[in-house]
Amino acid sequence: MPYTAEHKQQSRLRILESAVRCFLQQGYERTGISEIMQDAGLTHGAFYAHFSSKGELYIEAMTHAAKNGRFTAHLKNGKKGSAWFQGVLEGYLNLDHVEGDESPCPLAFLVTDIATRESDVKQTYTRLYKGMNRYISRQAMDDSKRTKDDIYAVTAMMIGGVAVSRAINDPKLAKRLLHSCKQTAEKILTSD
Amino acid sequence: MPYTAEHKQQSRLRILESAVRCFLQQGYERTGISEIMQDAGLTHGAFYAHFSSKGELYIEAMTHAAKNGRFTAHLKNGKKGSAWFQGVLEGYLNLDHVEGDESPCPLAFLVTDIATRESDVKQTYTRLYKGMNRYISRQAMDDSKRTKDDIYAVTAMMIGGVAVSRAINDPKLAKRLLHSCKQTAEKILTSD
DNA sequence: GTCTATAGAAAGATAGAC
DNA sequence: GTCTATCTTTCTATAGAC
């Protein structure tokens, strides 16, 4: 008695999580449907009972990755003010994040990939990016010294810092530049 | 009398420039050798008289794009000190750059693409990235108030700013965030 | 050096049995 | 819902004529 609604939901979730892993690690084009399905413990024929196309899966996977990703996870760190920023930045601008083992941020891992894609994919990225800014803004704007410019600059630096770290071949430099971004972002968000 | 050494050089250069256009606009995987060759006015069979593989072309194209790209072009703007920074930042963090019509920077347009590739490709990216930092460092380090952290933060923000702008679907937001990055980078590089 | 033609592999998507 | 089998397209790379 498989094939219940619940069974289907479970399969769908497994596919989604495999897709997140593959897409974020290898990018959209290099990831095949067969690979995702195999990783989810199914065969590729079953795919189309859950999603209408690879493109649709990409959108869903991106959303799922953001919801369960590193950025979101560090948002509720129980702290306030500058300690809160420190927690978020520390969790994001981090070599473990760059290595990608544990729920990386799709905004940083897929930037370039997204730019060349159809508008519904870019739409999703835009929404998630706005969300990221909103979360930081919410905390920062209590402080009248912080401007919207500060927020945009910080998120660009976070995404850029992680993306560049991932692209380079020099772990020492990667660590160094992440640290520099963290320090500078902290200064921007907490200076007088 | 084609087929002279000079003729070959010219063909090679045309292929290289087509490759830069295609790779930067569409990414590595979405670009076919046929497409590049057609854009260069040749057929795809001729490709292997110039390059041994698509991967080799990618490396050469990336190097060529950096040498003739927007960042390098704005390095020699004839100015000094804070005016020099302003010129470089203005030329880079710019909507025209994001649209990609005129020799965009491979560091910003290919970040995510590079991360998933073989080590020789990442090696090349690393070298170019270090070059970018060196150029800015050379000007900034005259000023004892500037640290290496400042440089790394600024380059990450430049690359991140352009990459994110390109990924989002909202031109107004793109322009806004580029402006924010420019303002903030300027502040980092010229504040007391 | 460049062309046409093709080999060989991979990928997205569909068909039909269970 | 999931499986196996297959259609179809696309792509890298090679072969051989000029």
Side-chain angles (χ1 to χ4, degrees), chain A residues 115-134:
Chain A
T116 68
R117 225 138 244 119
E118 311 74 41
S119 72
D120 52 349
V121 180
K122 298 181 77 171
Q123 193 65 46
T124 305
Y125 187 94
T126 308
R127 190 166 44 75
L128 296 173
Y129 172 67
K130 284 180 178 171
M132 182 185 188
N133 281 282
R134 206 177 311 118

Side-chain angles (χ1 to χ4, degrees), chain B residues 71-135:
Chain B
F71 180 72
T72 312
H74 285 270
L75 282 177
K76 299 180 180 162
N77 58 22
K79 294 166 188 155
K80 285 278 176 191
S82 65
W84 184 85
F85 288 130
Q86 244 175 311
V88 172
L89 292 171
E90 175 64 39
Y92 199 92
L93 290 162
N94 189 291
L95 211 53
D96 286 345
H97 184 190
V98 170
E99 319 257 295
D101 297 328
E102 190 197 332
S103 46
C105 174
L107 294 174
F109 274 56
L110 301 175
V111 223
T112 286
D113 226 65
I114 303 293
T116 67
R117 225 140 242 118
E118 311 75 41
S119 71
D120 52 349
V121 180
K122 298 181 77 171
Q123 193 66 46
T124 304
Y125 187 95
T126 308
R127 189 166 44 74
L128 297 173
Y129 173 69
K130 284 181 179 171
M132 181 184 189
N133 281 281
R134 208 178 309 117
Y135 278 121

Side-chain angles (χ1 to χ4, degrees), chain A residues 3 7-8 11 43 50:
Chain A
Y3 304 173
H7 175 83
K8 177 166 183 179
S11 292
T43 58
H50 297 275

Side-chain angles (χ1 to χ4, degrees), chain A residues 31-46:
Chain A
T31 300
I33 290 177
S34 304
E35 188 184 3
I36 294 170
M37 292 304 279
Q38 196 172 339
D39 192 65
L42 297 164
T43 58
H44 78 272

Side-chain angles (χ1 to χ4, degrees), chain A residues 131-192:
Chain A
M132 182 185 188
N133 281 282
R134 206 177 311 118
Y135 277 121
I136 296 191
S137 213
R138 205 171 285 164
Q139 281 277 340
M141 288 312 196
D142 293 351
D143 185 342
S144 63
K145 294 202 190 69
R146 243 41 71 195
T147 67
K148 275 200 156 194
D149 281 345
D150 293 331
I151 312 297
Y152 287 132
V154 164
T155 53
M157 198 158 72
M158 290 171 73
I159 293 172
V162 169
V164 171
S165 286
R166 211 164 94 87
I168 64 180
N169 217 358
D170 180 339
K172 220 172 126 189
L173 177 56
K175 197 171 173 181
R176 176 62 203 271
L177 100 87
L178 288 171
H179 180 79
S180 297
C181 289
K182 206 185 72 189
Q183 292 299 113
T184 307
E186 218 172 295
K187 212 185 291 179
I188 294 172
L189 290 176
T190 62
S191 73
D192 322 286

